Each structure stands twice: as structure tokens, then as C-alpha cells.
Amino acid sequence: MKNLAVLVSGGGSNMQSIADSAKNGALKGLAKVVLVISNNHAAYALERAKNENIKSVCVERKNYADAFSFNAAILKNLEENKIDIVCLAGYMTIVGVDIIDKYKGKILNIHPALLPKFGGRGMYGHRVHEAVIEAKEKKSGATVHFADENYDTGKIVMSEEVPVFDGDTPELLAARVLEAEHEIYPLAIKKVIENLDKEV
Ligand code: GRF
């Protein structure tokens, strides 16, 4: 049974789908969400964690002198809770290199587009969907990838396409992509766990 930590900043719907999957879906018997870390005290994801009886901690950058000590505090929480796999889910800040190094091959992120297109610094949330529509793309989707010290550049684990319809607004496309996110994140985690078990 792998211990998962989910790092969040906002609504937490991906954390919810991972927790649900661990209870009665693809991750059942394989993994358990044991920790939610938010860098935003107002994140609804913290409410979701409470409702699921999942331990949560809030580590806010403003309480630390610099990014190094902020990330060290996050890493300490991960180690103290014996985390095996770190899932970034709407986590709106870059992850420190010490965490990336410690969890190489075991830290994932989900991005609301078909990477490598429409990724990178500043490409998050509505901006992604606006850019996809602006570019008159016929498809978009969700991508789970290994997180590295850059934005959205790690090796892709899994992606799922969704159509872009004429007249789509960023809101409509965002909702369609979010459904794909909720489907593939648990499956991507399962794939990583199965590959890790093979490596043993
Ligand atoms: C998702 O669209 C995800 O792709 C992006 O941030 C959003 C997180 O939503 N990284 P939620 O907090 O999981 O509901």
C-alpha cells in the first residue's frame, strides 16, 4: 500500500478523485491518500480533506524567510508521513529541487492541456483554455507527467483527449478537461505504482 500526499492550492477536485479512487476505484488496495498539503489556508481542498478524514497541513510561503525554508518545511511533512508518491493537483507554485530530487520518478503533476503544447510558466487555469480556443485547436485534454524543477516539462505518464467544439468558452472547455483529469489522475498513479513494483 503506497502512501500518497496530494499538494493543493485550490478547489481540490483532483485530490477528491484520487481519494475516491483509493476508497473504491482503480487505486483501491494499492494506495491511500494520507496527507494533503496546501500552500493556501483558504483552499477548499482542505475542507475536502477534513470531510475525508485525511490529515492536512497548511504550509504558506509567507511564513518562511525564503523559498528554500518553505520547501524544506514541505519536505519535512512528506518525510514525517512516510510518503511514497507526491501528487501535485492544482498546486500553484514551483516545487523545490530538494523535493524533486528526493521523489524523482515518484512526483506527479496534472496539467489541463495536451503537453507539451500549452504548458510552461504562466500557462495555468483559464489561460490554458483561452489559448487553446484562440489557437483554434480541435482537441485539448489533460496530461499527467512527472514533475521536475521546471513548469510542465517532465516525462509524460498519461494523457486523455477531449474535443474542442465551435463556440466553446474557456469555462465549457475547462469543465470538459477537468472531467478527463479526474479520470486519468488515479490511473496514472496506478501505472506509476505498478512500474515501481516492477523495479523492485
Ligand atoms: C486543474 O485544472 C489542474 O489541471 C490544474 O489546476 C486545477 C486543479 O483543480 N493544475 P482542483 O484544485 O484539483 O479542483
Side-chain angles (χ1 to χ4, degrees):
M1 180 73 81
K2 300 292 183 195
N3 288 336
L4 307 181
V6 185
L7 273 55
V8 297
S9 303
S13 69
N14 274 287
M15 184 281 287
Q16 187 71 57
S17 83
I18 295 166
D20 293 348
S21 178
K23 267 193 305 196
N24 49 37
L27 289 175
K28 187 174 180 181
L30 274 179
K32 186 170 184 291
V33 180
V34 299
L35 179 66
V36 171
I37 302 179
S38 177
N39 69 334
N40 167 17
H41 71 276
Y44 184 65
L46 291 169
E47 200 62 33
R48 291 181 187 269
K50 204 160 71 181
N51 296 341
E52 294 293 334
N53 296 315
I54 296 170
K55 180 179 177 183
S56 62
V57 287
C58 186
V59 181
E60 293 194 293
R61 173 68 181 79
K62 67 177 178 4
N63 297 329
Y64 295 86
D66 51 40
F68 178 80
S69 47
F70 165 70
N71 279 292
I74 289 177
L75 183 53
K76 186 165 179 286
N77 276 286
L78 295 174
E79 291 172 333
E80 283 173 354
N81 288 277
K82 299 179 174 43
I83 298 304
D84 298 303
I85 295 176
V86 180
C87 305
L88 310 179
Y91 185 62
M92 298 306 281
T93 189
I94 200 85
V95 173
V97 67
D98 289 352
I99 298 171
I100 297 292
D101 288 349
K102 161 99 182 171
Y103 288 94
K104 203 128 199 83
K106 294 182 277 188
I107 179 165
L108 300 168
N109 181 46
I110 189 153
H111 183 74
L114 294 175
L115 292 176
K117 294 176 80 172
F118 303 104
R121 192 181 184 92
M123 286 304 277
Y124 57 85
H126 263 56
R127 293 181 181 186
V128 176
H129 308 299
E130 285 160 0
V132 167
I133 291 168
E134 180 74 28
K136 300 192 183 336
E137 297 285 341
K138 292 297 170 220
K139 62 184 183 181
S140 188
T143 306
V144 178
H145 61 97
F146 287 111
D148 61 20
E149 53 281 6
N150 305 307
Y151 286 97
D152 308 324
T153 54
K155 183 168 170 283
I156 291 172
V157 175
M158 192 177 285
S159 62
E160 180 176 313
E161 291 184 4
V162 300
V164 181
F165 297 121
D166 291 345
D168 256 344
T169 61
E171 291 74 18
L172 284 171
L173 181 54
R176 199 173 307 130
V177 169
L178 195 58
E179 276 177 35
E181 294 177 41
H182 295 162
E183 276 169 29
I184 66 166
Y185 215 158
L187 299 177
I189 296 165
K190 181 172 191 285
K191 182 178 173 185
V192 168
I193 290 171
E194 286 167 348
N195 289 344
L196 287 175
D197 289 348
K198 268 189 227 143
E199 282 164 13
V200 170

